[in-house]
Amino acid sequence: MTKDTKGGNKPRVKNGSRETYRKGPVMLRGAQIPTRTTDARLLDRRGDTDWLHADPWRVLRIQSEFVEGFGALAEVGPAISLFGSARTPAGDPNYVLAEQIGAGLADSGYAVITGGGPGIMEAANKGAREAGGISVGLGIELPHEQGMNDYVDLGVNFRYFFARKTMFLKYSDGFVIMPGGMGTLDELFEAVTLVQTQKVPSFPIALVGSQFWGGLVDWLRDTLVQAATIDADDVALLRVVDTAEDAVDFVVDAARTMRANGLTRTPDRSEWTAE
């Protein structure tokens, strides 16, 4: 160890003609060698607070979100996530449909996980709660605060989208996708991509509303499959339904089959495709 001009001890060692500095697992030489040790900088109370917004501190916040999310959701039990527009007003047919699906999933023994906001999310949480099920909301920090809807019994708020998405994917046995906008499409294709690449089990994905989703499925089949950018089997990951009963029956039956197979085997997706 050598002494620097500011009084800090520097862990320097000679390596041939060049001086080497060890900073945990990192090796530094030449101009990269700092003037003070890490603990000296930690204990220095001088300077500004920019470190609160620096990447190392951000990593700790990200870590805390995963820890809090895992801790909150680990004992929820079997769950189905439902996505859809935050802009759908109460009384809208899709709001009513989401409420019925939430109730049906709760009656089938599944917790219902949503983004915790208004609109379709609120409807599904309401249906699950009023049916006596577990109503979960995973909120996200947005420029225009939405807040957690009143029907969420277990809520977790996130700063980072990727941490929030991990919770949806880790703790869901299936997905119900209601009509929605960019966020809903993002969540849909995130799930489809992870199933397609076998990062997660081949859980069921129900698209509710043939009038809304039919054109998208046709485009996938007629354009992407024809262009050979996806396989025809990839389209079979999606089941289009129109009623709450069909949505619940499909995701629950497929999710139970998946769990019976140990969450590892990939079911024959051709059985999930509507004729």
Side-chain angles (χ1 to χ4, degrees):
M1 305 277 282
T2 62
K3 199 83 168 179
D4 70 5
T5 57
K6 296 184 180 180
N9 289 321
K10 299 172 64 174
R12 301 172 186 267
V13 296
K14 287 290 186 180
N15 184 0
S17 60
R18 300 189 66 192
E19 195 169 29
T20 299
Y21 184 97
R22 301 291 182 183
K23 186 178 179 183
V26 179
M27 181 203 73
L28 302 170
R29 288 176 179 160
Q32 295 298 312
I33 296 177
T35 59
R36 293 188 297 166
T37 62
T38 302
D39 54 356
R41 285 185 283 114
L42 170 66
L43 297 172
D44 189 351
R45 298 178 60 185
R46 297 169 297 175
D48 56 34
T49 59
D50 287 347
W51 58 274
L52 284 171
H53 309 288
D55 283 345
W57 194 252
R58 188 174 293 119
V59 168
L60 295 179
R61 287 200 296 268
I62 292 169
Q63 182 184 48
S64 73
E65 293 207 342
F66 281 106
V67 170
E68 292 295 337
F70 292 158
L73 299 174
E75 297 180 347
V76 165
I80 301 292
S81 286
L82 188 146
F83 303 121
S85 175
R87 303 182 184 187
T88 304
D92 183 274
N94 284 322
Y95 186 103
V96 175
L97 192 57
E99 191 175 344
Q100 294 170 346
I101 293 171
L105 292 171
D107 288 339
S108 299
Y110 283 82
V112 174
I113 304 176
T114 78
I120 293 293
M121 295 173 281
E122 176 186 282
N125 287 132
K126 179 182 179 182
R129 181 182 178 189
E130 293 185 348
I134 300 175
S135 176
V136 181
L138 306 181
I140 185 70
E141 178 184 348
L142 294 172
H144 304 288
E145 184 64 38
Q146 292 181 322
M148 202 72 73
N149 71 67
D150 291 338
Y151 300 99
V152 170
D153 295 316
L154 171 59
V156 184
N157 279 300
F158 294 86
R159 291 184 178 92
Y160 302 101
F161 266 114
F162 56 84
R164 179 180 183 243
K165 287 180 178 179
T166 298
M167 301 306 150
F168 280 120
L169 291 159
K170 182 173 177 62
Y171 293 107
S172 298
D173 286 4
F175 292 99
V176 176
I177 316 294
M178 299 289 295
M182 294 298 186
T184 302
L185 291 172
D186 176 57
E187 289 153 342
L188 165 61
F189 283 105
E190 177 93 16
V192 173
T193 299
L194 291 175
V195 173
Q196 181 199 43
T197 55
Q198 299 182 25
K199 295 295 186 181
V200 295
S202 189
F203 44 54
I205 302 171
L207 304 179
V208 182
S210 57
Q211 185 174 1
F212 188 90
W213 295 111
L216 174 63
V217 175
D218 289 342
W219 178 76
L220 293 174
R221 184 182 297 111
D222 298 339
T223 301
L224 299 192
V225 173
Q226 292 301 315
T229 57
I230 65 172
D231 295 329
D233 282 350
D234 295 332
V235 183
L237 289 169
L238 308 173
R239 166 72 72 89
V240 179
V241 299
D242 282 303
T243 69
E245 182 180 7
D246 286 345
V248 171
D249 287 347
F250 168 62
V251 293
V252 167
D253 289 346
R256 286 173 177 167
T257 298
M258 184 178 68
R259 279 194 172 264
N261 289 333
L263 296 176
T264 56
R265 291 170 51 194
T266 301
D268 180 0
R269 298 199 299 256
S270 64
E271 298 177 359
W272 297 2
T273 307
E275 297 296 335

